[in-house]
Amino acid sequence: MVEVVMLDDDSRNDLMDCCRGLSDMIDWLDNIDARPGLAELGTRLESMQLNLDALKKHIGYTENNGYKRNIIKKTEHYEMVAITWRAGQDTPIHDHVGSDCAFLIVEGTSTESTYKLDSNGLAVQVGSREYAPGEICAADEPDIHRISNDTDGDLINLHVYTPPLSGFGIYEPAL
């Protein structure tokens, strides 16, 4: 189960004041007039200096089985979200219909499992990779994956969707 919260204006402004790297990234996103490529978005995320303490002050975790989407900013062109997982939490197997996504692993180890559909429309795992803090994971809109926290610690990923996530398919795993 996913829990979604939107940072209020005061919290977002405080976060931007404390985290120049995040503020610069939002300024860049606000001033581009086309959908950025995943390579450029990934490069900018990878080089961004992030104030982890400031970010943690403004985001939270869900205690439910799932994860929490802490929306930092959403416009018609992009959505920036700090997604958090406690140990053992994960997303469903999903795609990002209509949106590309790149994310920076901020804290913890993020596991991305990738899938292809079988002839029955069920998701068959074809790969898995662990990402450490500072690494970038990127998914084109047709990619099918699941993100999970397979560790004993907390996980924070900073996602940028272009355009904002407006829909997604959820897939059942093959047995």
Side-chain angles (χ1 to χ4, degrees):
M1 181 61 77
V2 62
E3 182 179 339
V4 179
V5 296
M6 175 78 80
L7 265 65
D8 61 53
D9 290 341
D10 289 339
S11 292
R12 183 175 39 258
N13 291 338
D14 184 57
L15 179 57
M16 295 304 104
D17 289 344
C18 296
C19 189
R20 187 74 205 147
L22 203 54
S23 179
D24 289 346
M25 175 66 96
I26 286 176
D27 287 345
W28 173 71
L29 288 165
D30 284 344
N31 288 299
I32 58 175
D33 57 2
R35 186 175 181 176
L38 284 175
E40 182 175 10
L41 189 56
T43 298
R44 287 183 177 270
L45 281 167
E46 191 172 45
S47 65
M48 181 175 58
Q49 296 298 311
L50 196 58
N51 180 336
L52 182 57
D53 291 334
L55 181 63
K56 284 181 166 184
K57 177 181 169 186
H58 296 286
I59 64 173
Y61 294 82
T62 185
E63 299 305 323
N64 299 323
N65 244 358
Y67 58 102
K68 188 167 186 174
R69 298 181 88 245
N70 300 272
I71 301 172
I72 296 170
K73 186 164 184 186
K74 184 176 182 178
T75 72
E76 65 181 291
H77 302 292
Y78 73 91
E79 178 179 19
M80 180 181 285
V81 184
I83 302 181
T84 57
W85 292 263
R86 295 280 190 204
Q89 294 177 328
D90 60 13
T91 68
I93 300 169
H94 66 281
D95 61 22
H96 300 138
V97 175
S99 297
D100 290 334
C101 175
F103 59 92
L104 169 70
I105 290 61
V106 176
E107 180 177 69
T109 301
S110 186
T111 301
E112 179 193 35
S113 301
T114 54
Y115 297 84
K116 296 289 182 192
L117 298 182
D118 68 12
S119 60
N120 297 316
L122 298 175
V124 176
Q125 186 172 339
V126 294
S128 181
R129 179 173 169 200
E130 289 186 347
Y131 292 85
E135 290 188 297
I136 302 297
C137 180
D140 290 315
E141 62 180 88
D143 293 345
I144 299 171
H145 69 172
R146 176 178 59 206
I147 305 300
S148 57
N149 180 0
D150 297 338
T151 71
D152 294 333
D154 291 335
L155 171 62
I156 302 171
N157 291 342
L158 183 66
H159 292 236
V160 177
Y161 299 92
T162 60
L165 193 59
S166 61
F168 49 87
I170 302 288
Y171 302 93
E172 291 296 321
L175 298 176

